[in-house]
Amino acid sequence: MPDNALDYLVIGAGPAGLQLGHFLERTGRRYLILEAGPAPGTFFRTFPRHRQLISINKKHTGTADPELNLRMDWNSLLSDDPSLLFTRYSDRYFPSADDMVRYLADFAAATDLKIAYGTRAVHVTRAAASAADGRSDRDRTGASGEGPFLVTDEHGRVHEADRLVVATGVGMRANMPPIPGIETADPYSTASTDPADYLNQRVLIIGKGNSAFETADNLVETAAVVHVAGPRSVRMAWRTHFVGHLRAVNNNFLDTYQLKSQNAVLDGEVRRIEREPGGGYRVTVAFVRANEVTKDIPYDRVIVCTGFRFDASAFADERCRPELTIGDRFPALTPAFESVNVPGLFFAGTLTQSRDFKRGTSGFIHGFRYGVRALHNILETRYHGAAWPGRDLPADPGALASAVIERVNRTSALWQQFGVLADAIVLDGRGGARYLEELPADLDEPPLGPSAGGHFRITLEYGPDHDKTDPFDVTVGRIAQSDAERADEGHYLHPVVRYHRPGAPPAVHHITENLENEWTSEEVHVEPLRAFLARHAVPAGV
């Protein structure tokens, strides 16, 4: 094996790359992180453009429990060093992106990560299978028997690795909708953020997400008219529980529309953008709530705020070009965060949001930090013979119920990655069980293969159709928090336990929602769970 061959090559030293690097460093794997920029967190040096993060930084929680505190800390990476918590870097509830840049640089230095800065990956290919002969540990790269990855950087150096992990985020490649003339508009990434540059102008902002409304809020004091346009409804995060939908901190602009202050939200599709000979634009909008009536509207400026997409340009070799999904914006992934068509090619960080797109937290640090930890455990179990973190328990309903209650009352991973990560209890069919923590909820490979007694999966989830009801409408009834019989009707976050056995649909048990998220009542929470576990955990004849 060549001296410079790696177990893992990681592309990108943003939060996900640093998080994975920390785990690889701790387990002594041969790895290298390639970073195009001069320091960690290149994305946060530019974005968000108005420099305020929408990830919360709640320092005062009333508890000293570090695990519970991570439920309210959306910016810290995972480590055993309490000095590497983001809460030490800012007192602001919505901190500055500049604080994130500083934090990521300190994290990389403190954890002594192996990072090559100023080193952009420009071409990814793969050696022929025969080139890996004699390297027995490489035979497990994938079922295809492919050889190691070969990644050429911008300086012409070739990096060889058994497995490749892409943690680039969505980078700087804008997601530009196919609107004729859109190339004449200002993209979010380069549009001026100085409100004085829009003095007394008519401004159209295309998009209805946080970047669009962040931009609109910035202009309400100087622009004459601001229109925010898009064919879909504005979705509020406080209703959908998806933190990427419009956040309250960015929705002041809505007041200026509904209270008749010249601004407006246009529920319509932009059909065409044309530059006027004398300057400015003429934009054709088809209104979706007016039978697609079209109107030509004049503007001085047009800004496109329609998000980003994965830049797959380095994957020119079709042998290792990942299949894309969601309008070709993100890689298509297995439950193990692996490309569905390229064995040994994994993804970490915000690119994994293709698995819970616009419903979970994989697109954000407070979600994908746990996804990265799960990915590392998958790599360790699959390629290095490690056991998944867990503990042995008797398959006694009381012991199992106690273990579940202890976890759901404290875990930050299941709290942040609701419905995406799960704990599991694997039954051996002989009166024993093993409690495993934080697996992808739909993972079916070891350690969750077929087992003699089946297994339980424990998640935290919102109720079905939770986003269909206005949570602030007091005329909409809610179940009583003491009503264990109707726990499955709860809309708020609560534990769900499923029993899986081959050849049968899962049996499901809901633990009723609780205002303080404390599931400790013997009568309401513990005893119904114990009874459910008893029906499935005790082997026949015991």
Side-chain angles (χ1 to χ4, degrees):
M1 181 184 302
D3 292 338
N4 63 347
L6 302 167
D7 295 321
Y8 302 96
L9 183 67
V10 181
I11 302 179
L18 299 184
Q19 185 69 87
L20 181 58
H22 167 62
F23 293 131
L24 294 172
E25 180 72 27
R26 192 172 64 178
T27 49
R29 302 304 169 201
R30 299 166 302 170
Y31 76 96
L32 178 66
I33 303 173
L34 302 184
E35 168 56 42
T42 298
F43 179 86
F44 291 99
R45 294 175 180 271
T46 302
F47 302 104
R49 294 299 314 286
H50 300 89
R51 310 310 290 150
Q52 179 178 269
L53 300 176
I54 59 172
S55 49
I56 68 173
N57 179 53
K58 195 169 190 293
K59 298 184 65 169
H60 308 292
T61 64
T63 179
D65 186 329
E67 183 71 11
L68 285 176
N69 283 334
L70 282 171
R71 291 183 173 188
M72 305 303 151
D73 172 0
W74 289 12
N75 299 286
S76 292
L77 298 181
L78 304 175
S79 79
D80 297 324
D81 185 349
S83 70
L84 292 178
L85 291 172
F86 184 88
T87 49
R88 295 175 177 263
Y89 285 71
S90 175
D91 294 330
R92 299 293 302 274
Y93 188 75
F94 292 111
S96 167
D98 296 326
D99 293 324
M100 177 59 71
V101 172
R102 187 163 52 94
Y103 170 70
L104 295 177
D106 287 352
F107 186 93
T111 52
D112 197 26
L113 300 184
K114 300 177 179 64
I115 305 174
Y117 295 110
T119 307
R120 183 182 302 276
V122 296
H123 183 68
V124 180
T125 187
R126 206 164 195 175
S130 59
D133 290 346
R135 297 178 226 172
S136 59
D137 60 330
R138 294 184 179 217
D139 293 341
R140 294 171 290 181
T141 299
S144 67
E146 292 278 4
F149 289 92
L150 303 174
V151 178
T152 304
D153 66 32
E154 60 186 309
H155 308 293
R157 294 185 294 255
V158 178
H159 306 269
E160 178 180 335
D162 295 346
R163 288 159 287 277
L164 181 62
V165 184
V166 179
T168 57
V170 288
M172 306 292 187
R173 186 181 179 193
N175 177 50
M176 302 295 279
I179 301 171
I182 198 168
E183 70 281 356
T184 65
D186 294 325
Y188 170 71
S189 59
T190 57
S192 172
T193 58
D194 184 353
D197 290 341
Y198 302 86
L199 190 64
N200 207 35
Q201 293 184 357
R202 295 174 55 86
V203 182
L204 172 65
I205 299 170
I206 301 175
K208 285 185 174 178
N210 281 293
S211 62
F213 282 94
E214 161 203 319
T215 302
D217 278 353
N218 187 51
L219 301 182
V220 294
E221 293 179 348
T222 57
V225 172
V226 180
H227 289 171
V228 174
R232 298 178 181 84
S233 302
V234 173
R235 305 202 70 191
M236 308 300 295
W238 50 257
R239 181 164 183 165
T240 66
H241 303 112
F242 171 59
V243 300
H245 283 146
L246 183 58
R247 303 286 296 283
V249 70
N250 284 329
N251 73 14
N252 289 334
F253 177 81
L254 296 180
D255 268 8
T256 72
Y257 170 36
Q258 293 297 331
L259 299 181
K260 303 181 293 298
S261 299
Q262 291 189 284
N263 301 325
V265 175
L266 308 182
D267 298 320
E269 178 182 352
V270 176
R271 292 283 178 84
R272 184 180 300 103
I273 302 171
E274 295 179 297
R275 291 301 302 261
E276 294 282 64
Y281 297 85
R282 184 162 299 275
V283 179
T284 303
V285 180
F287 291 89
V288 297
R289 291 204 286 185
N291 297 320
E292 297 220 353
V293 169
T294 61
K295 183 176 182 178
D296 290 339
I297 307 175
Y299 295 100
D300 298 295
R301 304 285 287 274
V302 178
I303 305 174
V304 183
C305 301
T306 49
F308 302 90
R309 62 174 55 239
F310 170 51
D311 184 356
S313 59
F315 294 87
D317 186 339
E318 64 180 18
R319 292 180 301 165
C320 49
R321 183 185 305 143
E323 180 180 318
L324 302 180
T325 187
I326 310 176
D328 289 344
R329 291 182 63 187
F330 301 98
L333 304 178
T334 72
F337 309 102
E338 187 174 21
S339 168
V340 297
N341 66 308
V342 184
L345 174 60
F346 296 87
F347 290 82
T350 191
L351 291 174
T352 62
Q353 67 182 280
S354 58
R355 303 199 63 249
D356 59 352
F357 188 61
K358 292 193 175 182
R359 60 182 175 82
T361 61
S362 292
F364 309 88
I365 292 174
H366 66 290
F368 68 60
R369 63 191 178 193
Y370 302 102
V372 172
R373 184 158 68 185
L375 168 61
H376 182 253
N377 286 331
I378 288 169
L379 299 175
E380 286 291 302
T381 56
R382 187 188 290 187
Y383 302 115
H384 305 290
W388 195 280
R391 57 193 172 107
D392 293 325
L393 294 171
D396 171 75
L400 298 183
S402 294
V404 171
I405 291 296
E406 177 186 358
R407 278 286 292 168
V408 297
N409 278 297
R410 186 167 181 261
T411 170
S412 62
L414 303 193
W415 173 275
Q416 303 289 25
Q417 286 275 57
F418 51 89
V420 174
L421 292 183
D423 283 359
I425 301 173
V426 181
L427 306 172
D428 64 13
R430 302 185 302 275
R434 185 160 180 82
Y435 195 108
L436 307 173
E437 297 182 0
E438 301 172 24
L439 302 98
D442 52 350
L443 188 72
D444 286 321
E445 65 180 77
L448 275 186
S451 60
H455 67 269
F456 297 94
R457 299 195 197 199
I458 303 98
T459 54
L460 289 175
E461 300 177 21
Y462 289 96
D465 297 327
H466 61 89
D467 59 341
K468 302 296 191 297
T469 302
D470 183 349
F472 301 118
D473 185 351
V474 297
T475 65
V476 177
R478 298 179 68 165
I479 64 168
Q481 294 185 43
S482 59
D483 192 347
E485 294 296 324
R486 299 175 60 199
D488 61 313
E489 298 178 31
H491 291 302
Y492 190 60
L493 196 69
H494 63 278
V496 181
V497 182
R498 292 178 174 84
Y499 175 66
H500 296 261
R501 193 162 192 173
V508 184
H509 174 75
H510 293 256
I511 301 177
T512 191
E513 62 185 48
N514 180 267
L515 176 65
E516 302 288 346
N517 306 301
E518 295 176 353
W519 296 281
T520 56
S521 167
E522 184 69 25
E523 179 182 358
V524 176
H525 305 130
V526 181
E527 185 52 42
L529 172 62
R530 185 186 295 118
F532 174 78
L533 295 170
R535 288 196 293 274
H536 303 289
V538 180
V542 175

